[in-house]
Amino acid sequence: MTPAPPKAPCVSVVIPVFNGEACLEAAVRSVLAQTLVDLEVVIVDDASTDASFAIATRLAEEDVRVRPVRLPRNGGPSAARNRGFALGAGEWIAILDADDRFEPTRLAHLTRFAGEQGCDMVADDLAIFDLGCNAVVATAYPEMQEPVTLSLEDLLRHDLSADRTPYGWLKPVWSRAFLARHALVYAEDQRYAEDFDLLFRCLVEGARFQIVPEAGYVYTPRRGPVSGQTSHLSQTRQDFRAALRANEVLLQTHGGRLSPGERALLQQRIAFFETRAAYGEFLDLMRRRSPRALSHAARHPSVVAGALSAIRRRLTR
């Protein structure tokens, strides 16, 4: 008799890591400590030069649910995540960045909710961990008091507000069948704002996406909101010019499928990134005392407005 193939796990958790020896073990152990035990942890080492892969290998020797893989060259977070997507066998796929962690009941709660509601994707609030304070200091979406069904227009409109945490920070749990059906993966040329890009394309394909108000994902931002300290664990580097190009691609590729309102909001997002990119480039030229700074400002009037706004903020502190 041919033995039955091994049963696929309920959830595959993909952890991309690059030089994360200081935080990787804590992230993995937060997954292994889940109340939902029917899972696997796919650790994708993105050609680290530290002990990250050795840590992943040791953890695999301790728990058969851990599956480490090492990429031959550094491809960035999108490439590492896509490798994890390809290897994951679970009904659901979750992402965990190596400097973050899960609360113990997160996966049990989200998969149960998604099954009951027929979701293609589900996410939760983020507990904001300030590394400088060594504590959770806030949640990302305190206004959320009950589950919300997110539309593409909701995503675009919300993320244009400077007073709210972008929905692009969300860490969804995806139906693997939905991703496969629409051939959805991360854009591998993106190393900044890649989460928004995939979320946008999932919603264009009609994903039923709900967010629950419980904060089960403990997120470490690049800069602590209370301490102001930059996290030495973060690998994120802001690149507004790259985000601008990525959003222009979304408009060119999917513009014909968008409603007039969605298209207008995406165009506003593109204009926002154009302003941020131009201002950042102006500051870089000023720091280098380049004579090109003034001509750059002349070509981008928004740069002057940004500089004046920064001066006003300093004067009113």
Side-chain angles (χ1 to χ4, degrees):
M1 179 181 295
T2 302
K7 177 181 175 293
C10 178
V11 184
S12 296
V13 180
V14 175
I15 304 181
V17 59
F18 174 69
N19 289 352
E21 64 181 9
C23 52
L24 176 61
E25 183 164 352
V28 175
R29 292 202 182 281
S30 79
V31 180
L32 299 178
Q34 291 291 294
T35 56
L36 186 154
V37 299
D38 184 16
L39 55 81
E40 64 177 353
V41 188
V42 183
I43 304 173
V44 184
D45 183 275
D46 195 16
S48 294
T49 57
D50 68 358
S52 294
F53 189 66
I55 293 169
T57 302
R58 173 171 54 79
L59 291 168
E61 291 170 352
E62 295 178 13
D63 194 312
V64 296
R65 295 177 296 172
V66 178
R67 299 173 57 196
V69 60
R70 181 173 172 82
L71 301 184
R73 63 186 64 86
N74 181 267
S78 294
R81 289 166 177 169
N82 285 346
R83 179 63 171 154
F85 277 18
L87 292 173
E91 177 185 358
W92 299 94
I93 301 282
I95 289 290
L96 176 61
D97 290 338
D99 58 341
D100 298 335
R101 59 183 171 84
F102 289 165
E103 293 290 5
T105 60
R106 181 180 193 247
L107 294 180
H109 178 57
L110 290 184
T111 54
R112 181 173 60 250
F113 179 88
E116 292 170 353
Q117 298 298 318
C119 298
D120 301 302
M121 304 163 59
V122 62
D124 46 5
D125 199 350
L126 305 173
I128 305 299
F129 184 82
D130 188 322
L131 193 66
C133 299
N134 193 34
V136 170
V137 296
T139 58
Y141 312 105
E143 71 279 2
M144 192 180 302
Q145 301 298 314
E146 57 187 26
V148 172
T149 300
L150 191 69
S151 70
L152 183 56
E153 186 164 334
D154 293 335
L155 169 71
L156 290 163
R157 190 178 304 282
H158 183 280
D159 280 21
L160 284 170
S161 171
D163 300 325
R164 295 184 288 194
T165 303
Y167 280 151
W169 288 20
L170 288 165
K171 299 296 184 182
V173 175
W174 289 271
S175 159
R176 190 164 67 92
F178 175 83
L179 292 175
R181 186 161 62 249
H182 298 285
L184 288 162
V185 294
Y186 280 92
E188 296 198 358
D189 60 336
Q190 291 187 40
R191 292 179 180 240
Y192 178 65
E194 69 279 358
D195 294 298
F196 173 90
D197 181 88
L198 180 56
L199 180 51
F200 179 99
R201 288 183 285 117
C202 286
L203 290 171
V204 166
E205 296 298 342
R208 176 170 171 76
F209 181 25
Q210 289 194 273
I211 313 170
V212 300
E214 294 79 8
Y217 189 104
V218 182
Y219 177 78
T220 305
R222 194 172 61 91
R223 183 177 296 275
V226 174
S227 70
Q229 178 177 314
T230 300
S231 169
H232 65 278
L233 303 176
S234 176
Q235 300 289 340
T236 301
R237 296 293 178 266
Q238 288 184 326
D239 188 342
F240 294 116
R241 184 62 63 183
L244 168 65
R245 290 192 296 268
N247 280 267
E248 289 173 336
V249 169
L250 289 177
L251 182 61
Q252 293 163 6
T253 305
H254 303 288
R257 302 175 65 184
L258 305 181
S259 70
E262 292 164 349
R263 191 178 303 111
L265 289 167
L266 182 55
Q267 289 168 334
Q268 289 181 46
R269 181 177 172 87
I270 289 170
F272 165 79
F273 279 121
E274 173 62 41
T275 299
R276 291 299 301 269
Y279 184 56
E281 290 157 1
F282 170 74
L283 291 180
D284 182 60
L285 290 169
M286 289 292 288
R287 279 191 293 268
R288 293 190 281 119
R289 299 185 179 182
S290 170
R292 295 172 47 219
L294 292 180
S295 61
H296 180 82
R299 289 195 308 274
H300 302 279
S302 62
V303 163
V304 177
L308 291 174
S309 176
I311 291 169
R312 281 196 299 271
R313 287 196 300 272
R314 289 186 181 183
L315 291 175
T316 55
R317 281 179 180 173

